[in-house]
């Protein structure tokens, strides 16, 4: 008999089925062993009765420990008393792989769960989070593919930093210094000259020591880059992308959302247009909540929270002071103190989910801006490493814009997770490199 999954067995209740899964719970009551079997689709109670199965089946069920992998056949019946609503009356039971005593029991410290991450991934919560992650990746790709984007693959080992350059992981590349990429943007830019609209979905690395609930040292970064776009067009694309992801999670994955207490209706409210505040307006809104930020200050965690605490949808903050944004962003002709860019802040203080901007596309303007950044920030670009990227401005340059979305940031917000580490299977943080 071919095996079926729990969800299908429930649909076919009454029929004879074979299930394969893992022991989630177990108790014995005289001549009956009750187990809860878990597979990718869910849980079902299994009842093994001593007087209706063979001796082999009975002793296999007796020896089955939590997390043993098992095969059971029998008939599924609706059973109101069962914790799963259905029960499989076993006609045969066999062990696939016995489990040693499982090191994770009910009340465990966060540290232990992180040390045993490879096993904790089997929990109901992590299973739901990992399914949601897979769907968020799928919906993001689906949206961009439909809009005519090409997915491209960037190098991970690079010579030049794309953002501040301050948080680069350095590595040895056959005797030369190399870095793990902090953004694929510069490479995505190179590819718009043939493919026009492209995106990368790849890891970015940030050697950030700060331990917050929003920072990973290795995260997955979605970076679309579009020829002939300005930042207004880019913001419009961003809100439609975010809304597509939220809407599809709500429509297709309601069961999974329940695990996190997230309501489908709340996700369906995330529709364009999103609120758009200039940096100055956002500053005012934050100071109205009792803060004393000055023009030119960056926003911290508590300011972001003040700005978004009561919002149902993300909020754009556009055109930031040039001193706190990277070298590739063009000066705003209407207010030269600012650059043409935007950050998208998630509701309820979940933080920045997207950062994006127009890109300087004229070579003289780029040289001026890089020199200005060197002067005001007291840094020195190693121009040799950027020469190829500057070259793009020499051969038929065009206006363009793009953005970067932190995949774990958007998952953290959509699932309302307390910590970003639960949005990725094997988190890398300053204090965590294993497993
Ligand atoms: O704002 P960032 O640094 O922008 C860039 O890297 C641009 N080059 C993107 C582009 O225009 N192509 O990073 C973009 C996003 C942030 O908004 C945030 O969502 C996420 O990446 N991010 C992080 N996510 C997890 N852990 C970290 N340490 C992150 N740093 C940034
Ligand atoms: Mg940013």
């Amino acid at each position: 008999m071919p095996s079926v999954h729990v969800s299908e067995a429930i649909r076919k209740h009454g029929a004879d089925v074979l299930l394969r899964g893992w022991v989630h719970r177990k108790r014995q009551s005289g001549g009956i062993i009750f187990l809860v079997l878990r597979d990718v689709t869910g849980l079902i109670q299994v009842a093994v009765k001593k007087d209706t199965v063979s001796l082999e089946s009975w002793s296999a069920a007796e020896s089955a420990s939590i997390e043993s992998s098992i095969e059971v056949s029998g008939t599924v019946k609706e059973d109101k008393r069962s914790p799963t609503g259905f029960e499989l009356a076993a006609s045969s039971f066999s062990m696939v792989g016995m489990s040693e005593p499982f090191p994770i029991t009910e009340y465990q410290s966060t540290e232990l769960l992180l040390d045993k991450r490879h096993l904790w991934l089997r929990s109901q919560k992590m299973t739901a989070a990992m399914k949601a992650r897979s769907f968020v990746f799928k919906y993001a790709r689906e949206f961009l593919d439909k809009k005519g984007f090409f997915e491209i693959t960037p190098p991970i080992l690079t010579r030049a930093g794309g953002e501040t350059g301050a948080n680069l992981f350095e590595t040895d590349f056959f005797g030369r210094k190399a870095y793990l990429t902090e953004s694929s943007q510069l490479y995505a830019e190179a590819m718009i000259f043939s493919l026009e609209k492209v995106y990368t979905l790849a890891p970015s690395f940030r050697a950030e020591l700060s331990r917050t609930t929003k920072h990973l040292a290795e995260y997955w970064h979605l970076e679309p880059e579009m020829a002939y776009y300005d930042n207004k067009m880019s913001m419009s694309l961003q809100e439609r992308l975010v809304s597509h992801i939220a809407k599809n999670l709500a429509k297709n994955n309601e069961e999974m959302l329940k695990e996190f207490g997230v309501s489908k209706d709340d996700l369906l409210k995330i529709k364009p247009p999103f609120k758009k505040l200039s940096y100055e307006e956002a500053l005012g809104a934050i100071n109205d909540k009792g803060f004393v930020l000055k023009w030119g200050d960056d926003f911290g965690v508590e300011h972001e929270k003040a700005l978004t605490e009561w919002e149902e949808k993300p909020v754009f903050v556009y055109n930031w002071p040039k001193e706190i944004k990277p070298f590739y962003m063009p000066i705003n002709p209407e207010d030269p103190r600012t650059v043409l860019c935007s950050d998208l802040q998630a509701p309820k203080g979940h933080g920045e989910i997207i950062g994006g901007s127009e890109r300087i596309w004229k070579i003289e303007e780029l040289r001026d801006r890089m020199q200005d950044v060197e002067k005001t920030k007291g840094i020195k670009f190693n121009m040799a490493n950027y020469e190829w990227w500057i070259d793009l401005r020499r051969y038929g340059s065009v206006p363009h814009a793009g953005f970067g979305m932190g995949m774990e940031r958007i998952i953290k917000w959509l699932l309302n997770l307390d910590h970003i580490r639960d949005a990725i299977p094997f988190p890398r943080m300053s204090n965590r490199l294993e497993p």
Side-chain angles (χ1 to χ4, degrees):
M1 196 181 345
S3 68
V4 297
H5 279 122
V6 168
S7 59
E8 194 184 340
I10 287 171
R11 275 199 302 278
K12 284 183 165 172
H13 65 271
D16 251 356
V17 292
L18 168 66
L19 293 177
R20 293 203 288 219
W22 290 263
V23 178
H24 183 68
R25 300 256 184 283
K26 183 184 174 187
R27 73 191 161 87
Q28 186 160 0
S29 157
I32 311 186
I33 293 169
F34 291 103
L35 301 125
V36 175
L37 176 145
R38 162 177 68 76
D39 73 11
V40 61
T41 66
L43 302 173
I44 190 169
Q45 176 161 289
V46 174
V48 189
K49 287 192 184 142
K50 192 171 186 179
D51 53 13
T52 59
V53 296
S54 68
L55 198 59
E56 284 98 315
S57 285
W58 177 254
S59 47
E62 270 199 311
S63 70
S65 48
I66 299 295
E67 288 305 322
S68 293
S69 45
I70 56 170
E71 287 189 1
V72 204
S73 56
T75 42
V76 176
K77 289 192 212 86
E78 207 167 342
D79 186 341
K80 296 265 173 319
R81 292 162 306 168
S82 140
T84 58
F86 287 86
E87 186 178 275
L88 180 110
S91 53
S92 93
F93 187 104
S94 62
M95 178 72 70
V96 178
M98 177 73 110
S99 175
E100 290 179 24
F102 204 59
I104 302 174
T105 54
E106 225 160 319
Y107 302 101
Q108 298 288 3
S109 70
T110 308
E111 278 311 297
L112 182 123
L113 296 180
L114 283 165
D115 290 341
K116 302 285 178 198
R117 186 67 161 192
H118 51 296
L119 302 177
W120 179 236
L121 286 170
R122 303 177 186 196
S123 64
Q124 293 299 102
K125 181 182 166 202
M126 287 309 301
T127 302
M130 292 304 106
K131 283 182 184 172
R133 176 181 170 94
S134 171
F135 285 115
V136 169
F137 274 60
K138 177 179 132 138
Y139 300 143
R141 282 198 165 101
E142 183 181 272
F143 174 85
L144 293 168
D145 293 345
K146 273 210 197 102
K147 293 270 176 283
F149 279 73
F150 289 93
E151 178 169 0
I152 55 160
T153 55
I156 301 299
L157 290 165
T158 64
R159 288 286 278 176
E163 286 303 298
T164 64
N167 301 322
L168 288 167
F169 281 107
E170 193 180 304
T171 179
D172 172 69
F173 188 78
F174 306 111
R176 291 203 297 163
K177 250 188 215 171
Y179 304 98
L180 298 182
T181 190
E182 56 179 346
S183 161
S184 302
Q185 176 194 322
L186 306 189
Y187 293 94
E189 282 186 64
M191 295 190 74
I192 63 157
F193 296 93
S194 53
L195 303 177
E196 298 195 12
K197 290 197 289 188
V198 301
Y199 68 90
T200 60
L201 184 43
S204 279
F205 301 85
R206 306 274 166 112
E208 308 194 74
L209 256 177
S210 64
R211 275 201 233 155
T212 77
T213 58
K214 292 173 209 162
H215 287 87
L216 292 165
E218 177 182 75
Y219 72 95
W220 282 74
H221 203 173
L222 175 68
E223 300 192 81
E225 193 70 29
M226 300 79 69
Y228 309 111
Y229 266 54
D230 63 19
N231 199 52
K232 283 206 182 88
M233 295 160 77
S234 177
M235 282 195 278
S236 158
L237 186 75
Q238 291 167 43
E239 58 192 11
R240 282 175 288 144
L241 166 67
V242 169
S243 143
H244 177 88
I245 296 170
K247 181 179 78 192
N248 278 282
L249 273 180
K251 285 204 322 209
N252 308 326
N253 310 106
E254 207 183 341
E255 209 40 50
M256 227 163 46
L257 297 174
K258 280 189 195 145
E259 188 66 37
F260 304 97
V262 172
S263 107
K264 174 180 170 167
D265 293 337
D266 286 350
L267 292 187
L268 289 173
K269 284 182 200 148
I270 303 164
K271 281 198 296 221
F274 295 172
K275 199 184 270 182
K276 298 179 184 71
L277 303 175
S278 68
Y279 167 79
E280 209 150 311
E281 289 166 336
L283 199 70
I286 293 167
N287 284 344
D288 283 348
K289 300 261 164 74
F291 292 93
V292 281
L293 284 175
K294 295 184 307 299
W295 199 97
D297 286 347
D298 204 350
F299 301 168
V301 177
E302 66 279 25
H303 309 122
E304 293 179 350
K305 191 164 173 216
L307 187 68
T308 61
E309 206 162 9
W310 304 105
E311 298 293 333
E312 289 182 328
K313 299 199 276 185
V315 179
F316 283 106
V317 180
Y318 64 89
N319 296 1
W320 289 69
K322 65 180 165 71
E323 284 75 18
I324 50 175
K325 289 292 172 191
F327 59 91
Y328 52 74
M329 296 186 180
I331 302 290
N332 174 10
E334 282 163 23
D335 178 358
R337 297 177 305 163
T338 63
V339 282
L340 297 170
C341 67
S342 53
D343 285 353
L344 186 62
Q345 287 286 337
K348 303 184 177 70
H350 278 285
E352 180 192 319
I353 45 177
I354 296 183
S357 78
E358 285 177 35
R359 321 302 192 189
I360 300 175
W361 61 285
K362 291 183 176 154
I363 198 157
E364 312 74 37
E365 199 181 324
L366 184 60
R367 292 216 183 274
D368 288 352
R369 173 94 166 106
M370 287 178 94
Q371 275 165 12
D372 185 43
V373 171
E374 285 188 331
K375 252 193 264 141
T376 52
K377 291 198 181 159
I379 54 167
K380 191 95 196 91
F381 288 106
N382 185 345
M383 291 313 268
N385 293 338
Y386 289 95
E387 225 19 79
W388 68 268
W389 176 74
I390 295 169
D391 227 17
L392 301 172
R393 277 89 186 145
R394 285 196 182 96
Y395 305 98
S397 192
V398 292
H400 59 287
F403 61 90
M405 178 166 96
M407 296 304 280
E408 292 77 16
R409 290 268 180 100
I410 190 169
I411 294 165
K412 175 184 186 290
W413 159 53
L414 290 172
L415 301 185
N416 196 27
L417 303 176
D418 295 333
H419 201 294
I420 195 167
R421 64 181 165 228
D422 288 339
I424 189 164
F426 295 99
R428 296 291 178 251
M429 296 172 291
S430 59
N431 61 339
R432 181 135 314 257
L433 188 57
E434 296 96 10

